[in-house]
Amino acid sequence: MPDYVELHCHTNYSMLDGASHPEDLLDRALELGMDRMAVTDHDGLYGAVRFYQGALQRGIEPIIGAELTMDGGYHLMLLAENDQGYSNLSRLISHAQLSHSKGEASLPFAALAQHKEGLICLSGCSRGEIASHLLAHREREALEAAQRYLHLFGRGSFFLELQHHLLEEDQRLIRMLLDLAQHLGVQYVATNDVHYARRQGHRLHDVLSCIANHTTLDEAGSLLRANSEYYLKSPQEMEGLFSHLPQALANTRAIAERCHVDLNFSTHRLPPFELPPGETAGSYLRRLCLQGVERKYPSVTDRVLKQLDHELGVIDRTGLSEYFLIVWDICSYAHERGIPAQGRGSAANSLAAYLLDITRVDPIAHNLLFERFLSEEANTMPDIDVDFSTDHREEVIEYVYDKYGEEHTAMVCNVVTFRARSAVRDVGKTLGFPLPLLDQVAKALDTRRASQVEEDLERVNGLADKTTHLPWRQLIELCREIDSFPRHLSIHVGGMIITARPLVEIAPLERATMPGRVVVQFNKDDVEDLGLIKIDLLSLRTLSLIYEALEMIKEHRGVRLDLENIPLDDPVVYDMLCRADTIGTFQVESRAQAQTLPRMRPQTFEDIVVEVALIRPGPLQGNMVHPYLRRRAGLEEVTYPHPALEPALAETMGVIIFQEQILKVAMIFAGFTPGEADQLRRAISRSRSREAMEKLRGRFVEGALSKGLEEEAAQTVFDQLAGFAEFGFCKSHAAAFARTAYETLYLKAYYPAEFFCALLNAQPMGFYSPAVVVGDAKRHGVRILPVDVNRSRARCIVENGHLRLGFSYVDSLGKSSLEVLEEAGREGPYYSLRDFCQRTRLPRRSVENLVLVGAMDGWSKARRELIWELGTLSYQEGEMDLSPPLEEIHLPELTLDEEIKAEYGILGLPVGEQIIALHRPRLERLGVERSKDLERRHNGERVRVAGLVVVRQRPPTAKGFVFITMEDEDGLMNVIVKPDVYQRYYKVLRNCFLLIVEGTIQKQSGILNVLAEGAVGI
Ligand SMILES: [Zn+2]
Ligand SMILES: [Zn+2]
C-alpha cells in the first residue's frame, strides 16, 4: 500500500480559504487510512487546538504548522517539529500579525533567522517565492531564494514542495523544481494544498473565495481555483500523480514522523505572585482566608474550618494558589476604589473565593458544591468570572496589563461564525441575488442557524413558491454548508489570560479592532484545552445601576444603604415577585420570568435561586419547569428517579435543576469521585457525538451496577442527566445572580425614584426599552419630569423625589453637545431662546428637538412660537444674526397628538401620555378593552386589546409559537400567537408596532394571556 501523509492542509480557519471543518478533514483522513496529518492555516493557529484535539480523539497524530505570508506576498510553509518549533512558529506568526494592521499579516525573511529552531520549512504552493519566480521565468531569482532558505534551514529541514493539481503549468513547475533540487542537492516532498475534505467541497470553496474578494461567482473568473483537485486525496491517488517520484511521497512520512508537539502548557501557566517575606503562595492564601473567616463568620463552626482546609488542600495540590491570589489582588484593587466587583459562575461554589471577597454568596449557607468549581482529578482548569460595573471595567483591565506586562497578558479571542443572516447576505451576494432582496430576506429571518433558513424563507413575501427554484435551492444548500464556519475574529467579552512564559511562545497574538488591544488566536475552549488559565473580567450594567442608585440615595436622602446587610427575607420583595412586578430588575424581569413568578410564588431566597436557574432555555427544553411547578403547587407527587437520589434532589423536589446535582447524582448513583463526576458533566455538555455519549453511558451504568443498582434504573437516570446537562445552570451562579436580583428588587421597592433614574442612565440594558421603563416608573408613583434646559443634566437626575430626564435622551445630542450643555449650564440659567442659542451654539436640529420635547417650556412660550423664533435666527458657520425678530407673533400650542409623537420620536419614551391614549376614543368605539380591565374577564371569553408592541419573541424551543408583549396606558399584556395564526397575520404581527389583537382570554394560576386569533395594525 502506498504511503502518504498530507502536510499541507487548510481548514475553514484559513478564514474564507478553506471549506471544511477540522473534524471533517480528520474524519476523511481516517476513512483514507491516514495515521498522521498536518494543519496549516494561513497566518495563524486559529484552528490548531481544535484540530489537535480532534486528531488525538481519532487516533491520528497531529502535525501543527501554518502557511505564512512573507513580505512580497509569497507563501511559505512551516511545520513544528517539536515544542520549541511550536513556540517559534507562534512567535513568527505574532511578528507577522503585530507588525502590520489587522488582517494584513506579513513576515520579513530576516525574521526567520532568530526563530527557525525546531521548524521544518516547505517552499509553499505556486505562490511560494521560489515557485513564483520559476513560473515567471526568473530562474536566477528562484535559485537565489532557494539558496537563502537552504542556508537558513539546512539540508535536513528545507524541502521543495511539489504539487500536482492537473493544471497545465503543474508539470512544468514540478520539472523546474526538480532541476533546482538536483542542482542544489535539496530534498523535495509532495503535498496537495488541501482546501476541503471531499471533491464536492470545491463549490463552497468558490463561494468563500467570492465572499473574501467581494465578488460574484459569475464575475470571479481567475480568482477561483481552476478545478476541484484541492481535496484530501488518498495515498493511492497521490501515488497516481507522483508515481515517477517515489521519494516525494516517502518524504511525507519522513517529515511527519519527525514532528511531535505536545500542546500542554499547564506547567507554565501563571506568573509568580509577589508575596510578603517568609510566605509561600499557599501560606499567604491561608492567612488571607482566615482573616475572611474572622470577618464573615462571627461564630466559627467546624464545618467552615473543615471545608476551608479541604479547599486549600485541593487548591495547593492543583497548583492554583497563585491563581487565587491574582484574582484576589484584582478584586482588592476594585474594592479599594469602590468599584463594584463580584464573582459569578462556578467560582461561587468556593468558600475560599467567598472569604477572599471574590464572590458574595456564602457557599456553606447555600449548600454549594466546591467540586463543581475545582477538583483534583479534573484535567481542565477552572475559571473565575468576575463582574465589574460597566463604567469601571476598562480601568481594571488596565491595572492587570500594567501589573503583569504586555508580554504576559492578552485577551482571549472569540471566533465569529456564519449565522443565518450573515450567511444569507454573503452567500446570496456571490450567487448574484440583488442586494435589496437579500436585505429583505435577511431581516425576515427568525432563526439564527444558517442551516435552518429554509423554513423562514418560505414566509417572505412573494417567495413562498419560488424557494424550489434552482438559485434559491442553491442558496439554502450553501447556507446549510457554511453554517458555523469561522468568519473573523473578535475579542472575547472579558477573557484574559496571564501567563508566566511570554504569551507569544504559547499562542500567536494579533491585533484586536480596539486600538492598542491584542488578542490571542485561541478562543476560550482552546485556552482551556491547553491547560492555560483564563480570568474573565466581565462587565455588568446592573452593577453600574446599583452603584449609581446608592450614590443618589446617599446624596438625596442622606442614607448610606449597606446592601451587604439588607435582610434577605423582606416580605415586600417577595410580594413584588409574586405579582411579577419585576420590570427593570436583574434576571427576573423577562416575559418568561413574568409568566412563571405568579405560579412559582417565591417565598425565600432559595426560591429566587431556583427561579433564576429554572427559567432558561435549558430546563424548559429538558422538561423540568412544569414538573417542578406542579410539585411545588402540590398538584403532583414528589418522586425521585430512584430512592437513592433523594439526598441529591430533595432541595428541588426530585427535579434536576442545578448542574451541581448532576455531580451529586453521579457520585451517589454510580460511585463517581467528585472529580470524575464533574468530568462527566463537562463531557456530556460539550460532547456532540453519539459515540462519546455511549461511552459515558457505559461507564455510568457500570458504576451503578457495581453499587448494586438495577441496569434499567441506571439507564433512565443517565437519560435524564444527558437531557439536562447541556443546558443546566450552576447553582452557585444562580445564587450569585439571585443576590443581585434581590438587591435590584429591594431598590425598586424602597427607592423607586433613584432606582428608575439609575436604570434609565444604564440603558441599554435588560429586557425592556426605556419607554416601558418610564411607564413602569409612573405606575410606581415616580413622576417623570421633562427635559428642561435650565434643570436637566446630561444624565437623568432625581429632583425633589421625581425623575428629571437628562439631555442624553434627546435624539441628535451627541457626546460633544452634551459636554457643551453641561459646561454652558454652569454659568447660570438661560433666559431666552436667543440666550440659549448664543451660549451653546448647538446645531439647529438639536435646538428644535429640545423645543419640541418641552425643554424650553420654562419661558412660557408655546413650542410652536419657539420653533418659529428659531427660524428667524440665522445660522451661519456657527455665527448667529442676533438682530431682534421682526415681529412678535402668537401661535397655538402643539396638539396632544403632536406632543406625544415628538416625545416618542425624539426621546424614545413618553413623558406624558402613553401613545395608546391618542387612539383610545377610536379604540373604545371598536370595543377594545384596557389592560387593567382584563383581570375581570373570564377564561375563554373573547376580547379585543390594543397596545404598543414592546417585545416580540419566537423562541426556538417554542415550536413556532410567537409571544408578543404589548403596552397600553395601564401596563403590559401578553399575547400568544399559534403558528398558523402567525402565518396568516405574519405581515401585521411582524411589522406593526401598534396592534389591535382579537382573541380569547387564557387564565391559569394567576397568569393572564390573550390567545390571538387575528390582528390588525392601528
Ligand atoms: Zn499557498
Ligand atoms: Zn496552502
Side-chain angles (χ1 to χ4, degrees), residues 651-669:
E651 62 173 339
T652 48
M653 303 187 165
V655 181
I656 306 176
I657 290 178
F658 303 122
Q659 287 177 353
E660 285 83 348
Q661 290 174 319
I662 301 179
L663 274 70
K664 289 182 184 169
V665 167
M667 285 153 69
I668 295 174
F669 206 73

Side-chain angles (χ1 to χ4, degrees), residues 683-832:
I684 298 178
S685 62
R686 277 180 74 176
S687 145
R688 284 158 213 108
S689 83
R690 255 194 118 79
E691 259 168 61
M693 245 357 223
E694 287 312 305
K695 239 186 232 165
L696 296 170
R697 177 190 292 276
R699 267 178 51 205
F700 184 85
V701 172
E702 219 170 273
L705 290 179
S706 70
K707 294 204 75 177
L709 296 156
E710 315 82 52
E711 161 143 20
E712 205 189 314
Q715 296 281 9
T716 318
V717 171
F718 185 83
D719 283 339
Q720 292 195 359
L721 293 189
F724 171 73
E726 195 179 338
F727 308 100
F729 210 56
C730 96
K731 182 180 178 187
S732 61
H733 184 62
F737 271 16
R739 169 96 209 187
T740 308
Y742 189 94
E743 290 166 358
T744 56
L745 286 158
Y746 190 89
L747 289 170
K748 182 176 177 179
Y750 292 104
Y751 305 94
E754 289 84 356
F755 171 79
F756 283 107
C757 187
L759 178 58
L760 283 184
N761 284 337
Q763 295 293 319
M765 68 170 283
F767 196 75
Y768 300 102
S769 66
V772 177
V773 169
V774 299
D776 196 50
K778 290 177 204 164
R779 291 189 284 277
H780 284 81
V782 177
R783 249 180 78 200
I784 306 297
L785 305 173
V787 179
D788 183 320
V789 289
N790 280 330
R791 292 177 186 275
S792 288
R793 308 288 308 274
R795 294 169 82 82
C796 301
I797 50 172
V798 173
E799 187 181 305
N800 302 324
H802 309 305
L803 197 166
R804 172 74 68 188
L805 287 177
F807 292 122
S808 58
Y809 270 90
V810 180
D811 185 45
S812 87
L813 288 183
K815 201 167 160 244
S816 61
S817 299
L818 294 178
E819 277 162 18
V820 166
L821 282 166
E822 288 265 317
E823 189 61 41
R826 258 175 239 138
E827 296 155 21
Y830 309 100
Y831 58 88
S832 70

Side-chain angles (χ1 to χ4, degrees), residues 67 75 125 193:
E67 185 167 23
H75 286 186
C125 60
D193 200 3

Side-chain angles (χ1 to χ4, degrees), residues 115 148 234 390 415 522 611 688 785 788 804 949:
H115 301 296
R148 249 189 298 128
S234 68
T390 306
V415 180
F522 294 148
E611 176 75 27
R688 284 158 213 108
L785 305 173
D788 183 320
R804 172 74 68 188
V949 174

Side-chain angles (χ1 to χ4, degrees), residues 8 10 17 40 42 67 75 77 125 163 193-195 225:
H8 189 148
H10 296 273
D17 191 25
T40 56
H42 288 296
E67 185 167 23
H75 286 186
M77 283 281 303
C125 60
Q163 297 180 350
D193 200 3
V194 170
H195 282 75
R225 305 239 173 210

